[in-house]
């Protein structure tokens, strides 16, 4: 019997200034619970609809320590093609503290980008949606995406990491087009 298709659920995305984006999110006690499975599926729908490459639960008004992300194919970046991944209660270890600056955007600051300096080599530990441990290393752009999403769990938005706000602006004004 074919599985009944779940209806798409597009959640509202909180924008900068919403108090839920400014607080430390709570650990998830049971990654396998139906509520968590549902939230993860809804976050995937929401991220794809936006569209974006990463989303943290606090951005959809759920103060829980879960993020989803992927790294698109074809990007000339380390980690390109990394599949859609869910990290529950993630922990990050910096494996090389040397910082590199790169452009970041965020669905909670629609239309804007800014340059953020971050470590380019990290270790990641988390649980997946089956409650199994995940452990891997990430470098370059992949490491940047994970750190950006992780920051949302601690109430940090990328402008709070910027040292030179002159690079913060609207994509459309900076490039003359919208992507
Ligand atoms: Ni973000």
């Amino acid at each position: 019997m074919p599985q009944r298709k779940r209806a798409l659920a597009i959640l509202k995305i909180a924008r900068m200034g919403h108090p839920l984006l400014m607080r430390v999110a709570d650990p998830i006690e049971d990654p396998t619970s139906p509520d968590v499975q549902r939230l993860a599926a809804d976050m995937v729908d929401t991220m794809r609809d936006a569209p974006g490459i990463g989303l943290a639960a606090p951005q959809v008004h759920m103060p829980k320590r879960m993020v989803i992300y992927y790294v698109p194919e074809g990007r000339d970046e380390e980690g390109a093609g990394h599949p859609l991944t869910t990290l529950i209660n993630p922990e990050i270890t910096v494996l090389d503290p040397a910082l590199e600056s790169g452009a970041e955007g965020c669905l909670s600051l629609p239309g804007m980008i800014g340059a953020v300096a971050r470590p380019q080599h990290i270790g990641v530990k988390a649980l997946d949606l089956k409650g199994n441990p995940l452990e891997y290393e990430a470098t370059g752009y992949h490491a940047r995406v994970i750190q950006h999403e992780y920051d949302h769990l601690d109430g940090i938005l990328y402008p709070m990491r910027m040292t030179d706000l002159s690079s913060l602006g609207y994509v459309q004004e900076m490039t003359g087009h919208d992507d």
Side-chain angles (χ1 to χ4, degrees), residues 54 59 105-109 148-149 152 157-158:
Q59 290 182 278
C106 181
L107 295 175
S108 295
L109 288 83
H148 175 114
E149 297 311 328
H152 279 297
L157 298 172
Y158 76 80

Side-chain angles (χ1 to χ4, degrees), residues 144-158:
R144 176 176 300 283
V145 172
I146 294 169
Q147 289 173 88
H148 175 114
E149 297 311 328
Y150 179 89
D151 271 353
H152 279 297
L153 306 182
D154 284 344
I156 297 168
L157 298 172
Y158 76 80

Side-chain angles (χ1 to χ4, degrees), residues 151-170:
D151 271 353
H152 279 297
L153 306 182
D154 284 344
I156 297 168
L157 298 172
Y158 76 80
M160 295 157 71
R161 294 273 188 206
M162 292 178 67
T163 50
D164 177 5
L165 284 172
S166 68
S167 76
L168 181 66
Y170 291 95

Side-chain angles (χ1 to χ4, degrees), residues 87-158:
L87 302 177
I88 293 170
N89 301 336
E91 290 170 38
I92 289 178
T93 312
V94 174
L95 298 175
D96 177 356
L99 301 178
E100 199 171 300
S101 188
E104 295 187 19
C106 181
L107 295 175
S108 295
L109 288 83
M112 301 194 87
I113 52 170
V116 186
R118 296 193 190 268
Q120 296 294 296
H121 187 191
I122 59 169
V124 183
K125 277 189 190 179
L127 299 175
D128 69 13
L129 283 165
K130 291 177 176 158
N132 296 321
L134 291 174
E135 187 168 357
Y136 56 96
E137 294 183 15
T139 56
Y141 186 72
H142 185 195
R144 176 176 300 283
V145 172
I146 294 169
Q147 289 173 88
H148 175 114
E149 297 311 328
Y150 179 89
D151 271 353
H152 279 297
L153 306 182
D154 284 344
I156 297 168
L157 298 172
Y158 76 80

Side-chain angles (χ1 to χ4, degrees), residues 26-44:
D26 302 321
I28 289 177
E29 283 175 19
D30 179 6
T32 67
S33 79
D35 287 353
V36 172
Q37 306 295 311
R38 173 80 205 205
L39 175 61
D42 291 350
M43 283 171 62
V44 171

